[in-house]
Structure formats: structure tokens, C-alpha cells
Amino acid sequence: MKLKKHRKIAIVMGSQSDYSTMKDCVKILKILKISFDLKIVSAHRTPKRLYEFAKKSETNYSVIIAGAGGSAHLPGMIASLTAVPVIGVPIESKKLKGLDSLLSIVQMPKGIPVGTVAIGKDGAINAALYAASILGITDKKIKNSLLKLRIKQTKSVKKKPK
Ligand code: RP5
């Protein structure tokens, strides 16, 4: 299989309503200057789109970040169709506060891994950072940007509360 030299990160989500969470993922990748594609792909409402996306993902993407809520089958279904690493972001659902999303994403059967992050905004941010650290294994620039971000974060923590 011929892989593209500069493969992007894919950020996919099950619905437009997930974007209010997943936009934090976008923000981090922009700060780190990592290129990405942004798509809505629903496991239940657009299964053909999911299949097409996942099949092409092998050549196009180095990491896939998939956010979904409720019966959140999107990350697991993508992972079943590709060997590209998939990071699942459990969206905070209105009815069960994202516990449904978390359990649907994290409890994968052996053989098909999905890296699962925290529910909601924290998870969306950490998914981007985690994807960047995967790329940082082979990309020095990204590794350095990540390290700089860590230093900035450490400096921003005050020694005493106001
Ligand atoms: C899931 O259903 C989506 O990931 C979303 O979190 C949830 C609700 O979708 P909408 O009804 O808001 O479109 O597929």
C-alpha cells in the first residue's frame, strides 16, 4: 500500500451538535500547526460515508480522532475498518452526561483498539495533544511545539491562589 508522505489528522464527529466540543480539538491542532481534515460521519445515520471514509483513511491519515455521543459507535466502527490509530472522544450527552458515550467507546472487544480520552472538552483537548505526541515520534517540529506548550502550561500555574 502506498502511503502519502504528509498524512493529515482526521477529526470526525457523529453530528453537527458534537462540534461545540470538538472545536477545542481543532484549536489545539491549529496552535501546534498540524494540518487536519474535519468531517461529520455518523455510524448510524451515514453508514456508507463511514465505510468510504474508513477505507480511504489508510492512505490519507496518520491518526483519526473521532468524537461521538450516546450510543457512540463511530470510533469503534472506524477502528474496525482501518489500522490507523483511532482516538475516541466521548461527547457529554444531555441524557446521561456522557457516561453512555464513554462506555460505548472504551469497552471495545479485544482485537480492535480505540484509545479513549475523557468525556467532553477535556477529552477533545487531550485527543489533539495525544495525536500530536504520536506524530511527534517521527516529527521533530511537532515534538518541539508540544514541549513548548508544556512549558507554557507549567509557567501559567500560579504558586498561590488569589
Ligand atoms: C451521535 O448522536 C452524535 O455523535 C451525537 O453526539 C448524538 C446526538 O446527535 P444529534 O441528535 O444532536 O444530531 O450520533
Side-chain angles (χ1 to χ4, degrees), residues 13-18 42 44-45 67-70 91:
M13 60 209 79
S15 166
Q16 173 64 47
S17 65
D18 297 330
S42 165
H44 308 114
R45 293 171 179 154
I91 301 294

Side-chain angles (χ1 to χ4, degrees), residues 73-104:
H73 297 140
L74 179 66
M77 284 308 297
I78 293 173
S80 75
L81 292 161
T82 180
V84 174
V86 178
I87 304 171
V89 181
I91 301 294
E92 188 171 341
S93 56
K94 285 190 195 106
K95 284 155 195 139
L96 296 171
K97 296 191 186 308
L99 189 58
D100 44 356
S101 324
L102 174 66
L103 297 179
S104 308

Side-chain angles (χ1 to χ4, degrees), residues 11-78:
I11 302 176
V12 296
M13 60 209 79
S15 166
Q16 173 64 47
S17 65
D18 297 330
Y19 191 57
S20 56
T21 302
M22 297 307 286
K23 68 179 187 328
D24 287 299
C25 190
V26 168
K27 258 188 223 163
I28 298 289
L29 293 186
K30 281 187 177 165
I31 291 170
L32 294 170
K33 297 189 171 61
I34 297 173
S35 49
F36 60 88
D37 280 343
L38 199 56
K39 294 177 191 293
I40 295 174
V41 180
S42 165
H44 308 114
R45 293 171 179 154
T46 66
K48 279 187 189 151
R49 198 187 296 174
L50 179 145
Y51 184 83
E52 291 308 318
F53 164 78
K55 290 319 276 177
K56 285 183 193 148
S57 67
E58 214 73 61
T59 45
N60 293 338
Y61 302 114
S62 44
V63 182
I64 298 167
I65 298 171
S71 295
H73 297 140
L74 179 66
M77 284 308 297
I78 293 173

